[in-house]
Amino acid sequence: MLLNRSWKIAALLCGTVAVVLWAAAAWWLPSKQELALRVAQVASERLGVDVSVGALDWRVLPAPRVVLREVVTAQEQPLRLEQLSVYPRLLPLLAGRVELDRVRLDGGTVVQRSLRGLGAGAKKDAKGQGDAVGTALELARLEFDDLTWISRSGVAVVYAGEADFGPGLRLRAATLRRPGWRPAAAMSITRDTDTDDTGPQRFTL
C-alpha cells in the first residue's frame, strides 16, 4: 500500500514538473512563425539560395517532433518539400548534438538541374571551411513518399522509399520504389559490411 502511494506521488510530481517545463518552454521559446523564419534563414545560409518555410509546428510529448510545410527554394525551377517531419533525440539535442531518429518526407519535387545551384553561395566560417552554421548530424532513418524527381531532360518520375544510416551518415540499406507502377518496380541496396571504416563502401543490389 505504501509503495503504491509512493508511486502515485512520484507520478504526480513528474507530471507537475512536466507541465511547468512545458509552460516555461511555451513562454520563453519563440513563436512558431519566428522559428519558421529562423529555419528559413539557416537553410538559406547553408544552401546558398533563398529558402522559404510556409509553416512550422513542433511538440515535445509524447515524442519530440518538428514538422515543416511548404519548404521552397527561390530558383528558376524550385525544389519543393510539401511536409518534412523531423524526429530528434531529445537528450543529445540538449547537449548540443543533432541526432535524429527519423526524418519523413511526404510529397516533394526535386529538379536535377536545380541541385547544381545549391551550396555555391553558402556562408563560410572564418577559415573558409564549411558553412558558418555547420553542425554534425546523425540520422538513423529516412523515409519518403510521393517524391517527384525531374531529370535533366525534364522527365518526371515519382518515387517512394526508405534508407537506414550508420554513424557518420554512412548508408546501410535502402529501398526505392515506383508507386502505382505496373508491374511493381523496386530496388534494394544493402551495405556489404557493418564496419564503419572510411574506405570505399560496397553495396549489394
Side-chain angles (χ1 to χ4, degrees):
M1 182 69 178
L2 180 60
L3 182 61
N4 185 49
R5 180 176 176 81
S6 299
W7 180 87
K8 289 182 179 179
I9 292 175
L12 178 61
L13 289 176
C14 289
T16 302
V17 170
V19 170
V20 171
L21 290 176
W22 182 266
W27 178 265
W28 290 106
L29 285 176
S31 68
K32 294 176 181 179
Q33 291 78 9
E34 291 173 316
L35 285 174
L37 290 174
R38 290 188 184 185
V39 170
Q41 179 182 2
V42 172
S44 299
E45 292 172 353
R46 283 176 176 253
L47 297 178
V49 299
D50 288 339
V51 177
S52 63
V53 177
L56 180 149
D57 194 13
W58 64 273
R59 73 181 187 192
V60 176
L61 300 174
R65 184 183 72 169
V66 178
V67 179
L68 305 174
R69 295 182 177 85
E70 288 298 320
V71 181
V72 184
T73 61
Q75 297 173 281
E76 183 177 351
Q77 293 179 293
L79 309 180
R80 181 183 299 273
L81 308 180
E82 302 295 343
Q83 178 171 301
L84 186 68
S85 301
V86 180
Y87 298 82
R89 295 170 181 165
L90 186 56
L91 291 181
L93 191 61
L94 294 175
R97 302 192 308 274
V98 182
E99 297 183 10
L100 308 179
D101 268 327
R102 183 163 59 103
V103 171
R104 178 172 179 82
L105 173 63
D106 292 290
T109 302
V110 175
V111 184
Q112 186 176 2
R113 289 181 177 273
S114 298
L115 294 178
R116 295 185 59 185
L118 302 182
K123 288 188 175 181
K124 304 293 182 180
D125 59 20
K127 297 180 180 180
Q129 299 175 347
D131 56 81
V133 290
T135 304
L137 169 67
E138 295 292 343
L139 170 62
R141 184 174 176 84
L142 170 67
E143 301 171 352
F144 55 94
D145 191 23
D146 194 23
L147 175 63
T148 300
W149 173 271
I150 301 179
S151 67
R152 292 183 181 276
S153 59
V155 177
V157 181
V158 178
Y159 290 104
E162 54 276 332
D164 296 312
F165 299 89
L169 290 179
R170 293 174 67 82
L171 182 64
R172 286 179 171 170
T175 300
L176 192 64
R177 296 182 296 275
R178 296 185 63 178
W181 189 266
R182 295 293 182 271
M187 179 181 69
S188 296
I189 60 174
T190 304
R191 189 174 170 186
D192 287 342
T193 175
D194 289 332
T195 59
D196 292 319
D197 55 29
T198 57
Q201 300 186 62
R202 295 188 300 275
F203 295 91
T204 300
L205 295 177

